[in-house]
């Protein structure tokens, strides 16, 4: 990293007088204040910026020029919002909002998930897009960062309604994506069926519907994110001289990622205990085996089906007992559901019940306050910046990649994040190491590109 101390004398902002900084921490605070001034209503985005800039302050201390790059990076290259009109089964016109934020193409073509859910709004998309920059950057692959989605709830719609919605959504989105331009991948509420509907409409509109001989929008293995989460968890435990064997694992969520996490945990000899959704949680005191997991998957694969139905098929499962899923004693927790699930209170609750680590299986499932509690109480923490890169690894390696190659890539990325954290005096902090590593890769390219 080339040092350039003269940049400390230059104004970071020129607003009602020149604003300079003396230390890296001061630069980080100025950047957070600027984000708050411009987007004060977007609390999720502010939280993402604040937690990331705290990690990057040692870089700004060593080379002040990077603070100016971070200022550029806080603003996306392009943010598209559009209406998505569609007909429901009764013939009534329904309306939703669609989004695609293309945050950075410094490293390569945009790539990132699509999320469908009533929680999706401009602040959510902007926050996830900002985080995606570092998540894709840390992999070392030529990947830009983008995120998109819609505020539709896919779980209370029929298949015909979702097909019509996806076709309307893609009719507008097609103007901004394409092979070697922007590759949307599966995310919250977007599975194989939704991606199939989206690709079907894409190829009706666009002549070029493949890249390198493979169909566009068809690379992602739906199990890749969950498999990646578990492999990262295994690497983190092996680094501590431990393993997943025999670990009792609390899984929050019941979507495709949560179930693929459970499947892989069983392969490693761990014991998944729970799943949860909007109806509550199911708890198997003796663990969930392949047979029980197949039953749960059969239920959840049906659109809109709730987990409570599993009680009919199991004589040992407990439903909403205990009242809070976090009261169940466990060794590891894998939050694979909503954003901001693990708050300060939740982190303390997990630690009080014997949990020794939290591995994110979803996007931003641990809040800024939650991360501080995990660190304070000495729990192992696997940040989504690292753990949710499974889909990117799979896409980069290609469909013909073996699991051995996948594991080797996970080990490399984990090793690089760990080494970077040590280099910047954040030993053991993978969240800081991953963000710093991802930022440096993106920032060094941006420095070569100039004011773009």
């Amino acid at each position: 990293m080339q040092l350039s101390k003269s940049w400390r004398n230059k104004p970071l902002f020129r607003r009602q007088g020149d604003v300079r900084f003396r230390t890296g921490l001061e630069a980080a605070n100025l950047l957070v204040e600027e984000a708050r001034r411009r987007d004060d209503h977007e609390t999720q985005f502010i939280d993402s910026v604040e937690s990331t800039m705290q990690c990057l302050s040692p870089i700004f201390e060593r080379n002040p020029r990077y603070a100016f790059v971070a200022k550029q990076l806080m603003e996306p290259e392009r943010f598209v919002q559009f209406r998505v009109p569609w007909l429901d089964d009764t013939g009534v016109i329904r309306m939703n909002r669609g989004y695609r934020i293309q945050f950075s193409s410094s490293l390569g073509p945009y790539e990132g998930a699509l999320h469908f859910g009533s929680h999706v709004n401009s602040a959510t998309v902007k926050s996830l897009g900002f985080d995606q920059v570092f998540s894709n950057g840390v992999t070392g692959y030529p990947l830009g960062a983008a995120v998109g989605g819609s505020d539709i709830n896919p779980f209370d719609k029929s298949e015909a309604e979702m097909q019509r919605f996806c076709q309307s959504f893609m009719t507008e989105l097609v103007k901004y994506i394409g092979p070697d331009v922007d590759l949307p991948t599966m995310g919250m509420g977007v599975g194989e069926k939704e991606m199939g509907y989206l690709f079907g409409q894409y190829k009706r509109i666009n002549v070029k519907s493949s890249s390198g001989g493979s169909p566009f929008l068809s690379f992602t293995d739906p199990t890749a994110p969950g498999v990646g989460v578990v492999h990262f968890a295994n690497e983190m435990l092996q680094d501590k001289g431990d393993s997943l064997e025999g670990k009792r694992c609390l899984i929050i969520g019941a979507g495709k990622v949560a179930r693929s996490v459970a499947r892989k945990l069983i392969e490693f000899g761990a014991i998944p205990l729970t799943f949860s959704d909007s109806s509550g949680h199911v708890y198997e005191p003796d663990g969930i085996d392949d047979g029980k997991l197949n039953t749960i998957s059969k239920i959840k694969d049906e659109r809109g089906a709730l987990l409570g139905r599993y009680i009919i098929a199991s004589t040992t499962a407990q439903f909403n007992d205990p009242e809070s899923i976090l009261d169940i004693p466990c060794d590891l927790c894998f939050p694979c559901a909503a954003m901001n699930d693990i708050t300060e209170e939740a982190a303390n609750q997990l630690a009080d019940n014997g949990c020794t680590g939290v591995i994110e299986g979803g996007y931003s499932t641990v809040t800024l306050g939650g991360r501080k509690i995990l660190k304070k109480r000495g729990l192992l923490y696997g940040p989504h910046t690292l753990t949710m890169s499974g889909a990117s690894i799979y896409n980069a390696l290609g469909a013909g990649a073996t699991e051995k190659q996948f594991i080797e890539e996970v080990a490399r990325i984990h090793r690089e994040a760990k080494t970077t954290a040590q280099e910047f005096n954040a030993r053991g902090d993978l969240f800081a190491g991953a963000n710093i590593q991802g930022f440096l890769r993106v920032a060094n390219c941006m420095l070569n590109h100039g004011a773009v």
Side-chain angles (χ1 to χ4, degrees):
M1 184 172 67
Q2 187 177 359
L3 299 181
S4 182
K5 297 290 185 181
S6 64
W7 283 82
R8 202 183 301 275
N9 299 320
K10 298 183 179 183
L12 185 59
F13 299 105
R14 311 198 79 166
R15 186 180 64 254
Q16 297 176 350
D18 292 350
V19 180
R20 294 179 171 83
F21 61 92
R22 293 183 294 276
T23 66
L25 183 59
E26 189 177 345
N29 290 335
L30 285 172
L31 290 165
V32 174
E33 287 174 16
E34 176 67 6
R36 189 171 284 118
R37 182 187 71 84
R38 300 181 69 169
D39 301 300
D40 190 41
H41 59 290
E42 297 178 338
T43 54
Q44 290 168 309
F45 175 64
I46 300 300
D47 287 345
S48 291
V49 170
E50 185 175 359
S51 56
T52 302
M53 292 307 162
Q54 287 177 359
C55 297
L56 300 183
S57 60
I59 300 179
F60 305 152
E61 184 72 37
R62 294 190 188 186
N63 190 339
R65 187 178 185 184
Y66 281 108
F68 294 82
V69 181
K71 179 178 69 172
Q72 276 180 264
L73 195 56
M74 288 196 307
E75 195 66 27
E77 293 178 7
R78 187 177 296 106
F79 192 177
V80 181
Q81 178 179 314
F82 50 92
R83 69 182 180 192
V84 187
W86 55 281
L87 284 175
D88 67 15
D89 289 340
T90 64
V92 175
I93 296 176
R94 305 280 288 275
M95 195 73 64
N96 287 97
R97 285 179 175 172
Y99 306 94
R100 189 66 176 173
I101 187 166
Q102 296 172 329
F103 229 101
S104 172
S105 59
S106 297
L107 294 178
Y110 304 107
E111 182 175 316
L114 290 174
H115 305 291
F116 290 169
S118 53
H119 66 286
V120 176
N121 54 40
S122 59
T124 306
V125 171
K126 195 169 183 181
S127 169
L128 292 171
F130 183 72
D131 290 342
Q132 194 72 40
V133 174
F134 307 97
S135 187
N136 284 358
V138 76
T139 64
Y141 303 130
L143 300 175
V147 166
S150 175
D151 59 355
I152 189 172
N153 180 2
F155 303 112
D156 62 1
K157 307 294 186 296
S158 70
E159 284 299 327
E161 286 176 331
M162 282 310 299
Q163 180 173 334
R164 289 192 290 269
F165 169 81
C166 289
Q167 288 171 345
S168 179
F169 181 83
M170 180 53 75
T171 299
E172 180 63 25
L173 186 65
V174 71
K175 302 172 185 176
Y176 312 101
I177 65 170
D180 306 319
V181 177
D182 184 351
L183 174 63
T185 59
M186 297 181 201
M188 295 177 278
V190 179
E192 288 180 278
K193 289 182 179 178
E194 289 79 10
M195 291 301 287
Y197 298 148
L198 291 168
F199 176 64
Q201 183 69 358
Y202 179 88
K203 69 185 182 66
R204 289 174 69 187
I205 298 171
N206 206 311
V207 175
K208 181 173 171 56
S209 58
S210 65
S211 178
S214 299
F216 179 57
L217 296 178
S218 69
F219 295 119
T220 306
D221 180 347
T223 67
V227 170
V229 169
V230 178
H231 279 304
F232 273 110
N234 190 53
E235 281 294 325
M236 293 166 65
L237 288 169
Q238 284 186 337
D239 193 49
K240 301 288 184 183
D242 204 349
S243 74
L244 283 168
E245 181 77 33
K247 292 289 188 294
R248 292 172 63 82
C249 302
L250 199 72
I251 298 176
I252 302 174
K256 59 186 181 298
V257 175
R259 284 177 277 138
S260 60
V261 163
R263 184 81 66 188
K264 203 66 187 175
L265 284 172
I266 293 170
E267 288 182 23
F268 273 98
I271 307 167
L273 299 173
T274 62
F275 284 108
S276 67
D277 65 9
S278 58
S279 68
H281 65 270
V282 293
Y283 168 39
E284 287 280 7
D286 296 325
I288 296 169
D289 57 23
D290 281 319
K292 293 173 181 176
L293 181 55
N294 289 338
T295 302
I296 291 170
S297 292
K298 189 175 180 180
I299 293 169
K300 293 302 293 182
D301 282 340
E302 183 181 332
R303 190 179 296 280
L306 296 176
L307 200 56
R309 281 171 47 183
Y310 173 68
I311 298 302
I312 302 170
S314 174
T315 58
T316 56
Q318 298 173 202
F319 185 63
N320 290 340
D321 180 23
E323 187 176 345
S324 171
I325 192 174
L326 301 177
D327 284 333
I328 298 170
C330 65
D331 297 310
L332 296 172
C333 176
F334 290 83
C336 305
M339 296 172 68
N340 304 322
D341 258 354
I342 308 300
T343 59
E344 293 179 52
E345 182 183 354
N348 276 317
Q349 201 172 346
L350 285 168
D352 291 341
N353 286 306
C355 183
T356 60
V358 175
I359 316 297
E360 288 190 282
Y363 298 91
S364 301
T365 55
V366 181
T367 64
L368 177 59
R371 279 193 290 271
K372 290 178 180 178
I373 294 297
L374 295 177
K375 187 174 182 179
K376 180 179 178 181
R377 301 198 59 170
L379 272 70
L380 195 67
Y381 172 51
H384 68 274
T385 316
L386 272 184
T387 60
M388 292 302 290
S389 59
S392 298
I393 297 172
Y394 179 87
N395 290 343
L397 292 177
T402 63
E403 184 160 8
K404 182 183 177 182
Q405 290 175 301
F406 191 93
I407 293 170
E408 288 173 351
E409 286 301 284
V410 167
R412 174 187 64 80
I413 294 166
H414 173 265
R415 184 172 59 251
E416 289 175 353
K418 177 189 170 185
T419 303
T420 302
Q422 291 175 339
E423 182 185 345
F424 286 88
N425 302 318
R427 187 182 184 88
D429 190 343
L430 289 176
F431 183 69
N435 279 318
I436 292 171
Q437 181 78 352
F439 173 77
L440 287 174
R441 283 187 172 134
V442 175
N444 288 332
C445 283
M446 291 179 68
L447 287 172
N448 294 329
H449 296 165
V452 296

